[in-house]
Amino acid sequence: MLHQDQVEQARKLLAYLETRTTALADGVYRNPVSDYTSPQQAARERDLFFRRGPLCIGLSCLLPKAGDFLTHDYAGVPILLVRQPDGSLRAFLNVCRHRGARLAEGRGAGARDFSCPYHGWCYGLDGALLARPDESSFAEIDKAASGLRELPLVEKYGLIWLSPTPGAGFDIDALLAGLERDLAAYRLESYHHYETRVLQRRINWKVAVDTFLELYHLNVLHPRTVGPILYTNLATFDAFGRNLRMIGARRTIGELRETSEAAWNLIRHSAVVCVLFPNTVLIMQGDHLETWHIFPAGNGVDECQMYASLYTPEPALTDSARRHWDRNMELLMATVEKEDFPLSEGMQRGFYSGAQQDVIFGRNEPSLQHFHKSVKAALAASGG
Ligand code: FES
Ligand SMILES: [Fe+2]
């Protein structure tokens, strides 16, 4: 976030603190329970959001060097990302053009090519088919047209977005709708990947996103984890197209009053939550970045899979740095995995009980309202 924006947002948070209020929506919003239980809606979401995209995959530092590769299967199609010798990043369907075997697994470094484990067709880092054993038996199939199927990919602001559908190009700045100003200011291209954990839970993917979109529950559900760190029920809200930014205040924020605005660093005294629509949650956590990438799994309705990553501004080179980041990862998991998600699984089961047709997002939960209105607007705009 640019300094001038930090000052503006910090003033807002300090005013909320003084007047004991928070960013408020115009009214209460009733969200239909079917949003979390409808197989028809889940199928439309899968097609539109997860199959077509674009989706944010993570930070550029996941693949820093030429020959680094990463496979990604969360969106429902097998994807292979490869850092090119010229430093650019490309993505392909991880599917051999001979009979469809997977070319690569997991992540790796120093690849010079990808040799299929089934019959040995060999592809360059750029996806071109370089060689196939017993070439004469395949001579009538044009080699030049047998490269890996490429996926549209954009790398910008230190982040990677791709579409899992070949040919489904996108304009990321148009989609970010102004949020790129914050992203550019974070200089994420200089960040380092510390750790990623994969989680699977029995909840609709949107329930997992919802977890991050209000601070109304902090002192009730998290009295021993993040409750003591952040003020409860106090946050800003700003929409950027379908994306959003919600800033919570650390209990240290009052220290800003003791210095001139020119010296204010709001990032140190806040947690800045951004939703990169639809399924990515970025959280600037004072001295590091946490990201959540959340996908429907299994039947797509009441199961989801996600990966949570911790990124740091400096590489973790010392034991004390590693202990510090490990403690942050543990706090994140103690909060979300041990406190939020068990409760979320109970909600998901309750959705099927018939207790109610809607759940309620209060005026103090504008981020939740915006996220769900955006999901519905996107589905409606696609004819769903
Ligand atoms: S499936 Fe890849 S070489 Fe046959
Ligand atoms: Fe929570």
Side-chain angles (χ1 to χ4, degrees):
M1 205 185 316
L2 291 173
H3 184 257
Q4 69 206 73
D5 297 331
Q6 292 189 41
V7 170
E8 186 187 323
Q9 298 303 315
R11 280 192 202 135
K12 220 190 274 183
L13 286 166
L14 290 169
Y16 290 157
L17 200 55
E18 241 158 64
T19 54
R20 295 173 181 275
T21 186
T22 180
L24 293 171
D26 291 338
V28 161
Y29 180 75
R30 290 176 176 279
N31 194 45
V33 166
S34 62
D35 199 38
Y36 304 109
T37 59
S38 157
Q40 292 76 21
Q41 181 170 335
R44 294 206 311 274
E45 290 171 352
R46 261 199 158 149
D47 284 350
L48 182 65
F49 299 145
F50 298 97
R51 191 61 195 265
R52 188 172 180 86
L55 298 167
C56 178
I57 299 297
L59 265 63
S60 296
C61 58
L62 290 172
L63 305 101
K65 297 202 184 79
D68 288 353
F69 68 89
L70 174 67
T71 62
H72 187 284
D73 293 284
Y74 301 93
V77 294
I79 297 169
L80 170 63
L81 294 107
V82 187
R83 181 70 66 190
Q84 302 295 305
D86 69 0
S88 65
L89 191 62
R90 293 171 82 162
F92 309 97
L93 291 173
N94 188 13
V95 176
C96 179
R97 299 301 300 280
H98 175 219
R99 297 259 304 282
R102 289 170 67 85
L103 288 161
E105 292 295 344
R107 57 193 298 199
R112 284 198 288 267
D113 52 38
F114 294 97
S115 181
C116 180
Y118 204 174
H119 312 92
W121 285 28
C122 184
Y123 301 86
L125 298 183
D126 62 355
L129 179 62
L130 301 176
R132 45 193 171 191
D134 192 5
E135 169 65 29
S136 60
S137 292
F138 296 93
E140 63 199 74
I141 307 287
D142 185 12
K143 215 165 156 184
S146 301
L148 299 179
R149 293 298 305 279
E150 187 157 6
L151 300 174
L153 180 146
V154 172
E155 189 174 28
K156 214 169 176 183
Y157 315 116
L159 290 157
I160 303 163
W161 287 267
L162 60 75
S163 164
T165 298
F170 53 91
D171 175 349
I172 199 61
D173 286 323
L175 292 169
L176 287 171
L179 191 55
E180 68 276 15
R181 177 174 152 121
D182 274 21
L183 298 180
Y186 291 137
R187 305 192 51 75
L188 299 179
E189 60 279 359
S190 63
Y191 271 55
H192 300 262
H193 177 242
Y194 185 69
E195 188 182 353
T196 291
R197 297 209 193 167
V198 177
L199 284 73
Q200 180 126 12
R201 301 304 296 227
R202 302 276 313 172
I203 47 178
N204 182 275
W205 68 276
K206 298 187 295 299
V207 177
V209 177
D210 292 353
T211 305
F212 301 97
L213 299 189
E214 43 85 9
L215 302 182
Y216 177 39
H217 74 282
L218 283 197
N219 63 353
V220 182
L221 184 59
H222 305 303
R224 278 173 294 279
T225 48
V226 288
I229 297 172
L230 293 165
Y231 282 106
T232 292
N233 202 25
L234 190 164
T236 67
F237 162 72
D238 287 285
F240 298 87
R242 289 180 179 144
N243 315 288
L244 68 92
R245 181 185 65 203
M246 177 187 89
I247 310 175
R250 286 175 189 267
R251 291 181 187 269
T252 59
I253 196 168
E255 293 171 19
L256 290 180
R257 292 201 188 93
E258 291 151 26
T259 57
S260 71
E261 290 188 354
W264 279 8
N265 179 347
L266 174 61
I267 307 300
R268 289 273 158 187
H269 296 288
S270 67
V272 185
V273 178
C274 292
V275 174
L276 305 185
F277 189 81
N279 71 326
T280 297
V281 182
L282 302 185
I283 310 172
M284 280 309 273
Q285 273 298 14
D287 61 358
H288 67 281
L289 174 74
E290 295 161 3
T291 64
W292 291 80
H293 302 265
I294 302 163
F295 298 82
N299 63 16
V301 181
D302 58 6
E303 282 181 65
C304 72
Q305 205 176 26
M306 65 203 103
Y307 52 99
S309 303
L310 192 150
Y311 297 94
T312 62
E314 310 286 342
L317 300 176
T318 63
D319 283 348
S320 91
R322 279 187 285 272
R323 275 196 300 275
H324 176 71
W325 301 126
D326 286 344
R327 273 198 304 273
N328 276 280
M329 196 68 179
E330 290 317 317
L331 175 63
L332 180 63
M333 290 299 145
T335 308
V336 179
E337 192 185 18
K338 304 251 170 58
E339 295 177 343
D340 284 308
F341 287 156
L343 185 129
S344 302
E345 289 187 332
M347 287 164 65
Q348 185 73 39
R349 287 192 294 275
F351 292 153
Y352 296 104
S353 69
Q356 55 194 352
Q357 296 300 308
D358 310 297
V359 293
I360 300 164
F361 301 150
R363 289 190 64 205
N364 59 339
E365 300 175 300
S367 296
L368 274 177
Q369 297 198 12
H370 181 71
F371 172 60
H372 284 272
K373 286 176 184 170
S374 297
V375 167
K376 288 169 189 68
L379 292 174
S382 77

